[in-house]
Each structure stands twice: as structure tokens, then as C-alpha cells.
Amino acid sequence: MDSVSTIIILLYFVGLIAIGALASKKIKNSEDFLVAGRNLGFWTFTILIVASICSGMTILGVAGLGYATGWPSIWEQIFVPLSAAVCILFFGTKLHAVASKTGYVTVQDYFAHRFYSPRGIRGTSAIIGVLISIIYLVGQYVAISMVLSWLFKIPYAWALVIGAFIVTGYTILGGLYAIGMASLVQGIMILVGVLLVGPVVIEAAGGMTHINTVLAGIDVNMTHLWYPQMHPPYAKYAFLTPEYLVSFFFMLTLGLAAAPHVVNNVLAARDIKYFKWAPLAAFVIYAVIMYLCKITGFAALSMVHEGLIALPKGVPNPSDYSFIAASEYVFPGFFAPLVAIIVLSAVMSTTDRLMLTIGTYVSWDVYRQFINKDASEKSITLLSRAAILLATFLTLWLAWSNPPDLLAWLIWMAIGVMLACFVTPLFAGLYWRRATREGALASMIVGLVGALAFSYYARYVAPMPMHPSIYGFALSVAAMILVSLVTEKPSEKVLDETSTGLYIRVKDRKA
Amino acid sequence: MIIGLPVDTFIGIIIVPVAVALLLLLWALRW
């Protein structure tokens, strides 16, 4: 680690804090802090959605999964970018149109209105949202410290605290304004970074044909689109069977689209017209980033196989270091700041949004609704900032005190809970006029219990042929339909106010 | 084999993202 690298990284950090300071001048009220005054432009909005989903796992984990399993994992590069498009198109178009009349600040405001339940559904949804955001946040901090401590040879704990200080700093300063502006910078850094690293790594590994030949030599199924259907799989890495890939689609495409730190962003766009091109723009940008990351993982496998590079030993997840090790090989010397900025951009752009989600849910959905109904604008913004700070300390403690393999399981479970709890109420609420308050509440609770129970079973009792979250999701759909049909139909007034029905664009409705 | 991949794998990794992008393009053009 030399002084030039240190200066580059420090400049990047100073830039982020400067963005926070700049954005803080725009914060006049709690709506500015929580939803950027509903004033984000097209590219800031589109990149914000991509950057919120694009986490440390996207860069390191995607290359790591490619390293472990080969081409059958390429479906992840379709499912995850598609989640950005699904969020904008199927959830965003209608939520934004309705919110422009009603002034929703969080998705809980929508649930409370559509399911005529000012407290029950709001409280349930907000508490589940805060809990899974904290778990997800722990995973981000692990990725931050993994990168910083390995690159700069500093102790893990220092790396954790430095990363947390920067990202908490600009988030508390500028709220969603700062996050939006930072995401634009971070998104460009990620895109330029992988466009630079990806092709050079592929070239260094001997080109695509050579990489694929090496993969086929390790296991011929590594060059197919899935592993043969069997349960249990013939090897630990051969779990991506057609059946498992189906559950992968539901979890990634629908689960991430409905994630609290993703779906709330649709309220911050300035203009409904953005929802025309944003799905395509988000998908293409994200797919390019992810394809390059994944192929970098294949290249790393080929390079390790031929002795060009070695992954670190004595760490619990060596394959997650494949992106770092491969870029170190092709860019020795100045690689450290380059890789650090790519990965830190990805991690921080998700971390900041998760923290603001926690702050928003605590202040807007819990404090203002349950504790102090007459809370002032100032006190809501202040409490959001305090909750963000508290979440940082809690997360650091969790990241510090838990073994990594438990954390990895918890994070996958958190995505599973997003699928099982939020997808059904959102789809049914927006598109099905018969969906009732009782159905939504039953769907959320049954989904939560189901996802937790099946995740526990799959880890501690016996492995399952599909990702356990899909069984929780199936139960949540069943609960929504059955309970809705036996409870009283919602009032026409509420359904019309929330534009409920089987159409996406609000102007399409036949009044 | 194309670039070291079986033909159906190669077609799959190209055609699936292109098909998804075309569907999203259709959404934009129908707006």
C-alpha cells in the first residue's frame, strides 16, 4: 500500500462527504431528507435504483459464484438486473402516480391507505423492513471490511470503522438527496471500473475460448446453462439445477424488486414520464456490469487452475476474493485504489440506502404513527438521523460478533423474507381489487413465518431442492387469496383512490 | 463449439438478455 493509493482513496472519501455537505443545503423539511423532495432527475433516479440493488455481494459474490459454479450461474445476470426493471415498471409506475396525489413517503403509507389499516399493516411491514435491512446491512459492512483490510493490510476492525464513518457521514448529512447524488458517482465508477477490469482480465486469462476450455476440463457441466436435475446434487457446487433456478428467479427478480431499500426509491422520481425508459436503461446498465463481473469469476477460476493466481487461504469464503485476486494480477501496483473504488462504490451505494430506510421507517412509520402523532418536521428529520447513527453501531457490533458463514446464511434468508413478505401484498394491492386488509396481514405474517421456518429447516435439518424462501412465498400467495376471499371486500372509494385494478398506467383506467 | 461453449449455451447467454431488453423496449414504445 503506497502513498499514491492512499491519497486516491482519501480523495474519493472526501468527495463523498462533500456530496453530503452539498446535499444538506437542500434539506428544508423531512420530505427533502426522506424522499429527496420527489425531485430526482432521470439518470439519478435510474442509477439510484441500480446502485441500491448493486451491493458488495454483486461485485464480489457474483464473481465468487461464477468461480464456484461456472456458466449455470449466468441466470443471476438476468434475474438481478430484471429486478430493477420489475421494481420500476410493475411497482413504480402505479405507486408514483398514486403518490403524486396522496404524498406517500414510504411504501407503508401505501399499504396503510390501500389496506385501510393505519397501524396494523404499517407496523408489521415497518418492523419486518427494519429487521431485514439491519441483517442486509451487516453483510455490506462485512464486504467493506473484507476489501479494505485485504487491500490495505490494515486490521479488519479499523477497516470496518473507516467505511462506516464515511457512509454514515454523508447519509446523515444529506438524506436521500446525498444518496442520489453519491449513487450517480458510484454507479459511474462501477460501470467504468468493470469495463476496464473485465476485458483485461479475460485477455490475461488467455481469452474466452481458453477460459471455457479450462472450465469444461474441470467439469463439462460448467459450460452448460444448468446442472442436471437431481436431489441432492452430485457435488456441492452443482446445486444450480433447473428446479433450483426457478426459485432463484423468484427470490432475486421479485424479492429484490420489493426490497424496502429498493422499492421506496420510486417515490423520489421527479416525473412519471421517467417510468417509460427507466426499466430498459436500468436493465441494460446493470446487465453489462453483472456479465463482466461474472466472466471475471470464470477467468479467475481458469487462472487459479493454471497457477497464475492464488486465492487467500485461511478465510471462510476464498471464492469471494476471485475478483480482487484477478484484478491484482492484471493491474499490480495501482490496482489497489481501482479495485477498492469499484467495490466500495457498490457496497456504499447499498449501505447508504439501507441506513436511510431504517431511519425513515423508525421516524416516519413507527414514531410518527405510534408514539407522537403531532411530531414536527424537524423532530422527524432529527430522529431519522439519530436512528441511522444507532443502526450503524448496532450493525458494526453484529458484523463484529458473528461468524461469517452464519452471516451469509442470514443475508440469503433476509432476501427470502423480502420475497415472502412484501411481494404478494404489493402485487395484490396494486392489481387485485378483491385483496383485503386481512388477506394482506395474513400474507405478510404467514410469509415471514414460512420463510424463517423453511430457511431454518434447510440449514439445520435437511437440504431442500429449491431455495427455502419459495415455499414461504407460495404460502404467502395462498394466504392472500384464501383470507381475502372469506373477508369483507374493500370499499370502492379506497380502491379508486389507490387506482387498484388490472392495469399498470393510471391514465388507462376507464372511469 | 463457439468460443469454447456448446452451441446451445452460447445462444442462450446471448438470446435471453436480448429478449428481455426487447420486451422492455416494447414497454417504452407502447407508452
Side-chain angles (χ1 to χ4, degrees):
Chain A
M1 181 66 202
D2 55 84
S3 53
V4 177
S5 306
T6 312
I7 290 168
I8 292 175
I9 294 289
L10 281 177
L11 276 177
Y12 178 61
F13 284 169
V14 169
L16 288 174
I17 294 291
I19 285 176
L22 197 64
S24 72
K25 292 187 187 310
K26 292 189 163 198
I27 308 294
K28 302 277 185 285
N29 55 41
S30 60
E31 198 167 279
D32 286 341
F33 190 79
L34 302 177
V35 287
R38 304 174 201 283
N39 201 20
L40 295 182
F42 178 82
W43 285 108
T44 310
F45 165 65
T46 303
I47 302 289
L48 173 65
I49 297 266
V50 170
S52 295
I53 304 173
C54 182
S55 65
M57 279 195 288
T58 294
I59 308 286
L60 302 176
V62 160
L65 188 62
Y67 180 93
T69 66
W71 283 99
S73 65
I74 196 74
W75 292 96
E76 183 186 34
Q77 279 49 65
I78 304 296
F79 298 160
V80 175
L82 190 54
S83 74
V86 165
C87 174
I88 298 168
L89 203 163
F90 287 106
F91 299 150
T93 311
K94 188 177 284 187
L95 278 176
H96 186 278
V98 176
S100 64
K101 290 178 290 186
T102 56
Y104 301 147
V105 168
T106 67
V107 76
Q108 274 73 247
D109 288 340
Y110 168 72
F111 282 150
H113 185 185
R114 167 65 182 82
F115 293 120
Y116 40 96
S117 162
R119 300 171 74 127
I121 292 197
R122 180 194 295 276
T124 309
S125 176
I127 288 166
I128 296 172
V130 167
L131 289 177
I132 60 177
S133 293
I134 287 176
I135 292 175
Y136 212 78
L137 200 49
V138 175
Q140 301 306 317
Y141 275 122
V142 169
I144 286 186
S145 31
M146 211 173 107
V147 173
L148 286 179
S149 63
W150 196 66
L151 288 173
F152 301 140
K153 317 295 180 219
I154 55 175
Y156 190 84
W158 287 22
L160 209 53
V161 171
I162 293 170
F165 177 78
I166 302 297
V167 71
T168 307
Y170 73 77
T171 304
I172 285 182
L173 279 170
L176 193 57
Y177 260 124
I179 292 173
M181 290 159 71
S183 285
L184 199 55
V185 173
Q186 290 156 338
I188 291 169
M189 294 286 180
I190 298 167
L191 187 59
V192 170
V194 298
L195 283 171
L196 194 64
V197 169
V200 178
V201 167
I202 293 166
E203 194 55 39
M208 280 307 295
T209 305
H210 181 74
I211 293 170
N212 289 328
T213 309
V214 173
L215 258 61
I218 296 170
D219 179 343
V220 73
N221 286 321
M222 278 201 170
T223 56
H224 290 180
L225 286 173
W226 48 75
Y227 284 95
Q229 180 63 51
M230 56 174 82
H231 182 71
Y234 66 83
K236 203 178 170 187
Y237 62 83
F239 64 95
L240 289 168
T241 61
E243 204 172 276
Y244 193 91
L245 284 167
V246 169
S247 65
F248 221 43
F249 164 79
F250 279 96
M251 184 171 73
L252 294 175
T253 301
L254 300 184
L256 284 172
H261 64 285
V262 179
V263 73
N264 283 293
N265 289 329
V266 302
L267 302 173
R270 183 186 305 149
D271 192 334
I272 187 76
K273 287 205 298 283
Y274 297 169
F275 292 79
K276 174 179 179 178
W277 287 105
L280 180 63
F283 175 78
V284 171
I285 291 171
Y286 206 172
V288 167
I289 292 172
M290 289 196 77
Y291 256 72
L292 282 168
C293 284
K294 180 57 59 83
I295 295 172
T296 303
F298 301 158
L301 175 58
S302 169
M303 288 155 87
V304 167
H305 201 69
E306 302 194 314
L308 296 175
I309 59 173
L311 297 184
K313 293 189 194 325
V315 293
N317 50 345
S319 64
D320 285 348
Y321 286 85
S322 59
F323 185 87
I324 304 178
S327 5
E328 184 180 33
Y329 176 78
V330 293
F331 294 121
F334 77 92
F335 96 99
L338 178 70
V339 176
I341 285 177
I342 296 173
V343 180
L344 287 174
S345 293
V347 177
M348 286 183 172
S349 64
T350 303
T351 305
D352 55 16
R353 192 62 188 93
L354 281 162
M355 292 198 305
L356 185 68
T357 302
I358 294 168
T360 306
Y361 282 22
V362 167
S363 64
W364 184 262
D365 286 314
V366 176
Y367 179 73
R368 202 181 63 102
Q369 291 292 331
F370 291 87
I371 299 170
N372 179 1
K373 278 195 176 306
D374 307 316
S376 70
E377 285 282 332
K378 271 202 161 122
S379 63
I380 287 177
T381 307
L382 182 66
L383 183 65
S384 305
R385 287 173 156 151
I388 290 169
L389 197 60
L390 185 65
T392 302
F393 286 119
L394 179 63
T395 310
L396 286 176
W397 175 72
L398 287 170
W400 186 238
S401 57
N402 280 295
D405 77 316
L406 183 67
L407 286 176
W409 175 72
L410 279 172
I411 291 160
W412 280 100
M413 192 180 74
I415 302 182
V417 169
M418 294 173 195
L419 169 66
C421 286
F422 298 129
V423 173
T424 308
L426 270 172
F427 268 119
L430 291 165
Y431 299 110
W432 189 36
R433 288 176 78 87
R434 193 65 186 79
T436 68
R437 172 179 60 193
E438 294 77 8
L441 201 53
S443 154
M444 240 177 234
I445 306 274
V446 166
L448 175 68
V449 173
L452 295 178
F454 286 113
S455 291
Y456 180 87
Y457 182 88
R459 178 179 164 91
Y460 293 105
V461 183
M464 307 174 84
M466 297 169 90
H467 191 275
S469 63
I470 194 159
Y471 307 108
F473 174 61
L475 288 176
S476 84
V477 173
M480 172 60 90
I481 295 173
L482 293 174
V483 175
S484 282
L485 290 177
V486 298
T487 48
E488 198 180 341
K489 196 174 181 310
S491 79
E492 290 295 313
K493 179 172 171 291
V494 163
L495 293 174
D496 290 342
E497 282 173 359
T498 54
S499 299
T500 304
L502 205 52
Y503 52 86
I504 296 178
R505 294 193 54 204
V506 170
K507 75 163 184 60
D508 294 341
R509 51 191 305 240
K510 298 157 189 64
Chain B
M1 304 286 271
I2 308 176
I3 59 162
L5 290 173
V7 174
D8 54 357
T9 302
F10 179 77
I11 292 173
I13 63 172
I14 303 290
I15 208 167
V16 173
V18 169
V20 171
L22 284 174
L23 283 172
L24 295 171
L25 180 66
L26 183 67
W27 158 258
L29 294 176
R30 284 192 59 214
W31 183 275

